[in-house]
Amino acid sequence: FRACSMSRVFFYFFEILKYILPETMPSYKLTYFDTQGFAEVSRQLFALSDTPFEDNRLPREEWPEYQKCTPFGKMPVLEVDGQKLPQSFAIARFLARKFGFAGKTEWEQAWVDALGDQFKDYLNAFLPFFRVAFGTATGDLEAMKKSDGEPIRDNFFGILEKQAKDNGSTGFLVGSSLTWIDLIVADHMGVVEYHLPHFLDGFPEVQRVRRNVIETPKIKEWLEKRPERPY
Amino acid sequence: IFSFSSQKSHHFSRLSAMSVYKLFYFDIRGRGEVVRQTLALAGIPFEDIRLPRPADGPQWAEFKSKTPFGQMPVLEVDGKQIPQAFAISRFIASQHGLAGATAFEAAWVDAIADQWKDFHTEFSKFLFVKLGFREGNEKLLKAEHGIPSLDNFFPLIEKQLKETGSGFLVGDSVTWVDLLIAEAVQVISTAEPDFLDAFPEVLKHEQKIHAIPLIKKWIENRPEQRR
């Protein structure tokens, strides 16, 4: 209850502030668990654009209470001047468009979106195996690697490898500058390689994209200061 | 080279300044329907290319390697391809005032669509068995996946409709997610007539969206309606 009513207070506070000071930058608060997960791409967008935001990492025990105030019962939730927005990709796309990391033309934006949705489909298929690799589910890791992990990986990373190559091996998946799909892929690769070293060695173009992301100064800086979590 | 059964709307000559749109999907509503309806509502003539199921012909096996992700739907605009139904729908909608009036509204359109996708991933475990696409224990799947996912998702849509008060899911005009949800409601209501009775706003919304003249006309003329 308290979390919901505080949002209302912030919302009205910022409505009044916007009236008095029309040039005020919006205030951003991103709420998620204390992990990278589905919030990391948005945190990186804030870092890339030098936009201050409240990185609200919710302790697990506070989740049941906070959940009641979320629009869809899930996190992450972005608050923009107190107005809530759920769903990680909707949030990432909203921020990316605002800060200039969504693709430079409508066509590029559509391709970033398409790759994003393909990533989501891939992750849904990959997670049962991946959870065993994390240790959050039980199973025969080696057997699942052969039956699920490798074929699912090869299908999706094959698509990414071709996309990166067709895009001119520039180190960007789409266009000629960083987009949120580059961030998502790079972050995911970091998590995979932490748990399954060398699992993604066979994709040199995608590795180039990943290096490009993590060597971008503002991302490098963020990676050095963010809390390190296993996923 | 391929011969598909295609529903040609208009042809534009090479001299026309307008782009040429071709949509490739199977001969079903499925994931393609939201794209077709978005194109129809945007007033964009397109070639509605419907490939036979793999069991009925080699066309998909031959075309698959020519698609970006080995999947459909794929939209071709002047020969350039874009895959993924939501990316396509948003691309078309954004250029025709069907994606939300502000950046924040557009984000809410996206959020509802993604929430539907999460729902559908779960719900289809029951629905596809009910519709005969897969084998399975229909009663068990309905109890374990159908009802719980329905009860998680549609209260959100009901609440959203009550909050906007406009009859639309976001803001006060139609967006591509209205088409997505109304189509889903039609599919579910056809498969299980009383399944959504607890959600009167949702049912009203489906009626309203399918009464929009360009959508009504699309539905009346689509191949599925004439079977």
Side-chain angles (χ1 to χ4, degrees):
Chain A
F1 171 72
R2 212 203 312 157
C4 295
S5 57
M6 281 309 284
S7 297
R8 286 246 138 220
V9 169
F10 279 126
F11 175 67
Y12 290 122
F13 173 72
F14 282 107
E15 285 296 289
I16 293 165
L17 199 65
K18 273 197 292 205
Y19 180 74
I20 298 167
L21 302 166
E23 298 309 309
T24 317
M25 215 170 59
S27 86
Y28 296 103
K29 177 176 173 177
L30 184 67
T31 303
Y32 192 61
F33 295 110
D34 184 12
T35 63
Q36 278 98 259
F38 292 106
E40 187 62 13
V41 56
S42 293
R43 294 183 183 123
Q44 292 189 8
L45 287 166
F46 285 120
L48 263 179
S49 61
D50 272 327
T51 306
F53 76 108
E54 189 183 336
D55 186 10
N56 186 26
R57 292 164 181 261
L58 209 69
R60 293 251 159 207
E61 58 272 16
E62 288 182 26
W63 169 235
E65 198 53 39
Y66 184 81
Q67 187 178 26
K68 298 173 191 167
C69 301
T70 61
F72 292 165
K74 293 271 169 71
M75 296 197 290
V77 175
L78 178 71
E79 285 173 66
V80 185
D81 289 342
Q83 284 194 291
K84 291 177 188 174
L85 176 68
Q87 279 287 351
S88 61
F89 278 21
I91 294 168
R93 186 181 298 106
F94 171 75
L95 294 173
R97 285 186 175 190
K98 205 170 256 288
F99 303 147
F101 299 101
K104 298 297 180 205
T105 64
E106 276 150 343
W107 187 258
E108 282 187 10
Q109 288 173 2
W111 262 93
V112 172
D113 291 347
L115 286 162
D117 279 353
Q118 198 67 17
F119 170 80
K120 212 184 246 194
D121 292 345
Y122 147 78
L123 195 65
N124 275 332
F126 192 65
L127 270 175
F129 159 70
F130 204 21
R131 285 192 184 108
V132 176
F134 284 161
T136 58
T138 52
D140 182 339
L141 186 70
E142 286 312 307
M144 284 186 82
K145 195 190 277 191
K146 289 279 172 267
S147 63
D148 290 44
E150 285 170 359
I152 292 167
R153 168 199 68 187
D154 291 346
N155 183 42
F156 179 64
F157 277 86
I159 288 169
L160 292 184
E161 190 72 5
K162 179 172 191 292
Q163 175 65 25
K165 209 177 292 181
D166 288 352
N167 197 39
S169 300
T170 50
F172 307 109
L173 281 167
V174 178
S176 50
S177 57
L178 270 184
T179 64
W180 58 278
I181 189 60
D182 296 316
L183 303 181
I184 283 180
V185 167
D187 179 64
H188 174 71
M189 290 174 77
V191 175
V192 171
E193 286 174 349
Y194 178 83
H195 295 276
L196 297 163
H198 304 294
F199 195 66
L200 299 173
D201 280 1
F203 306 98
E205 291 298 330
V206 194
Q207 291 286 359
R208 189 200 306 272
V209 171
R210 176 166 178 237
R211 270 198 309 279
N212 194 20
V213 170
I214 67 181
E215 287 169 8
T216 298
K218 294 203 164 80
I219 297 292
K220 189 157 188 270
E221 200 185 309
W222 168 256
L223 294 176
E224 278 160 12
K225 77 174 190 205
R226 76 173 181 188
E228 257 335 285
R229 298 288 177 261
Y231 48 79
Chain B
I1 300 166
F2 304 133
S3 64
F4 308 139
S5 80
S6 77
Q7 312 292 316
K8 291 188 188 345
S9 309
H10 300 343
H11 270 298
F12 280 79
S13 78
R14 295 282 148 191
L15 297 173
S16 166
M18 297 188 63
S19 289
V20 176
Y21 293 83
K22 297 184 187 184
L23 182 69
F24 295 83
Y25 191 53
F26 292 110
D27 191 11
I28 58 173
R29 279 153 63 188
R31 286 195 303 262
E33 188 63 10
V34 65
V35 181
R36 294 181 181 123
Q37 289 191 14
T38 302
L39 287 162
L41 190 58
I44 296 175
F46 66 102
E47 201 174 329
D48 184 17
I49 298 170
R50 291 161 178 262
L51 278 72
R53 288 177 312 170
D56 295 339
Q59 290 91 336
W60 170 233
E62 289 165 357
F63 184 57
K64 188 175 161 123
S65 60
K66 298 182 168 59
T67 64
F69 297 165
Q71 289 173 337
M72 295 193 291
V74 171
L75 182 72
E76 251 185 39
V77 185
D78 297 330
K80 292 196 308 176
Q81 290 180 324
I82 179 78
Q84 281 285 353
F86 283 10
I88 299 167
S89 300
R90 185 183 299 107
F91 172 72
I92 298 294
S94 299
Q95 297 173 73
H96 295 272
L98 298 169
T102 64
F104 198 73
E105 281 190 10
W108 261 91
V109 169
D110 295 343
I112 293 169
D114 277 355
Q115 195 65 22
W116 173 86
K117 195 186 267 191
D118 291 345
F119 154 73
H120 181 75
T121 299
E122 203 32 39
F123 188 74
S124 59
K125 292 174 184 166
F126 154 68
L127 185 69
F128 287 176
V129 171
K130 170 85 195 184
L131 295 175
F133 301 157
R134 280 187 206 150
E135 297 291 305
N137 182 335
E138 189 188 306
K139 220 158 148 214
L140 187 68
L141 290 166
K142 182 174 177 174
E144 288 189 353
H145 297 285
I147 292 174
S149 59
L150 199 90
D151 287 347
N152 269 334
F153 179 67
F154 278 101
L156 305 176
I157 301 300
E158 187 78 3
K159 178 166 183 269
Q160 181 69 17
L161 287 166
K162 283 190 191 131
E163 278 178 5
T164 59
S166 60
F168 301 107
L169 282 165
V170 179
D172 42 31
S173 60
V174 67
T175 64
W176 65 274
V177 77
D178 289 305
L179 305 179
L180 178 75
I181 300 302
E183 160 68 6
V185 169
Q186 191 172 53
V187 168
I188 295 170
S189 300
T190 307
E192 292 260 330
D194 54 5
F195 220 14
L196 294 167
D197 280 1
F199 309 106
E201 294 300 316
V202 169
L203 295 171
K204 257 183 13 197
H205 174 262
E206 189 260 326
Q207 299 288 314
K208 180 185 170 89
I209 298 306
H210 290 162
I212 294 172
L214 282 170
I215 296 300
K216 185 166 190 281
K217 183 161 166 245
W218 169 262
I219 291 174
E220 281 165 1
N221 289 298
R222 67 189 174 192
E224 289 84 2
Q225 229 58 23
R226 292 182 271 123
R227 286 183 186 138

